[in-house]
Amino acid sequence: MQIESASNDLGTLDEQQVQRIRRKSILVLAAGQILGGLGGGATLTLGSLLIVSISGLDSLAGMAATMNTLGAALMAIPLALMAQKYGRRISLSSGAILAASGIVVIIAAAFLDFWPLLMLGMLILGTGAAMNLQSRFAATDLSTKATRGRDLSVVVWSTTIGAVIGPNLFEPGEVIAQYINLPPYTGGFLIAMCAQLAGALVYWIGLRPDPLRIAQRQALGRPDSGQARRRGWHILRTSVAARRAVLTVALSHMYMVSMMSMTPIHMQHHGATLTLIGFTISMHVAGMYALSPVFGWLTDKCGSRVIILAGQALLISASVLVWTNSADHVVTTMALLCLGLGWSAATVAGSTMISGAVGINERPQLQGTSDLCMSLAGVMGGLCAGPILAAIGFQGLALVLLALAMIMIMLNIKRSAPEAIHE
């Protein structure tokens, strides 16, 4: 039986067919992540530069990342509910289209030289971040305990291709912007919009049959299939593993957003060129995604908490490097690489723990709640990073962030009773 015909009768799928659909879905999700990553790294960095250019206020630099993550927070649960009701295909393709519409608003704001409208555009663009976060969880819909970390990390890794290329499109984007008379710093946004629209098409065509719908159908015969579905907040109250994982992912994201969003402004103040800033962000994004399959494999082999603790060590290394010599661009680049690696380890291991904390029927709710917490933590990081940078500098910001690593270490070294891991 072919995959497409199998989608008409999901109840008759055997294990071989399910695994074939699983592999196909991961490839489709990876392709979508490549396209989403193409715009992600570029738009956040360009957003910081664009808002300072329009407003003339360095203190607003962090608001680009803040509004983007706020948009991701606002859309996390709606996208999760859409996935639970209609499947990943509808949810992911809709999110990509909405993100593209946010870029239209951003370019309009640049034409009008009106930074509050730019904030709105970054808010809408945040839907793309929520969609990308959901994609990593979608990779685990048909996974088992033995493959969950690797499946998730493959989709996370695929973002590397687009995300590393994206920041290096700053200069080509500006050439395009000048050629078609767009305002400065908007050419990269135009490239990102095209990538998001292409991603929507990939999800719409490729996720047939839908992996989440199949997983839900396959779970109907299990003993817990008839239980009422708990909301994400209720799961957090009753599951120690879910709480630990969600807090770890959220605080790691806060750490990363706070330092990364201030780096372009810090480097610009120390004479760095746009090309050098783009290279530094590329190295950071490479750290975020390039080794995620390794962290996924290690998570499956060693357990989530071990890899989470390794991630905290890398985040601490980033702060120590910045504190040592933040004026040196080489040191700053090394710090951003460590920051990306630490985020990757903590996010892959924490997300794997989230997916295994509950059964498939409750998984989208918990995943959406986790993405909401993650994005809100990023909002707090972006809101606080700008004033902290203005008050005590980039080195001071790096030291303040060490408190978050200490909290995550305490969460994950505390022993608790073993909890069930769901297939």
Side-chain angles (χ1 to χ4, degrees), residues 132-202:
N132 288 339
L133 291 175
Q134 187 181 124
S135 292
R136 79 192 193 280
F137 285 129
T140 68
D141 287 340
L142 296 174
S143 300
T144 64
K145 178 185 174 182
T147 66
R148 189 173 289 134
R150 280 169 286 177
D151 289 349
L152 183 147
S153 64
V154 165
V155 174
V156 172
W157 172 85
S158 64
T159 311
T160 309
I161 300 171
V164 172
I165 295 173
N168 289 291
L169 295 177
F170 288 175
E171 296 290 355
E174 288 306 289
V175 172
I176 294 172
Q178 292 175 9
Y179 184 76
I180 59 177
N181 295 319
L182 289 178
Y185 301 125
T186 58
F189 283 104
L190 183 64
I191 294 172
M193 182 180 70
C194 295
Q196 290 288 4
L197 292 174
L201 188 62
V202 167

Side-chain angles (χ1 to χ4, degrees), residues 203-222:
Y203 291 132
W204 183 260
I205 295 174
L207 291 180
R208 292 172 179 264
D210 192 288
L212 181 57
R213 301 293 292 275
I214 293 173
Q216 291 169 337
R217 181 65 61 90
Q218 296 293 104
L220 286 177
R222 295 176 187 169

Side-chain angles (χ1 to χ4, degrees), residues 11 17 42 52 86 122 142 181 213 232 250 255 288:
Q17 292 168 328
V52 170
Y86 301 109
M122 292 300 298
L142 296 174
N181 295 319
R213 301 293 292 275
Y255 202 123
M288 289 175 67

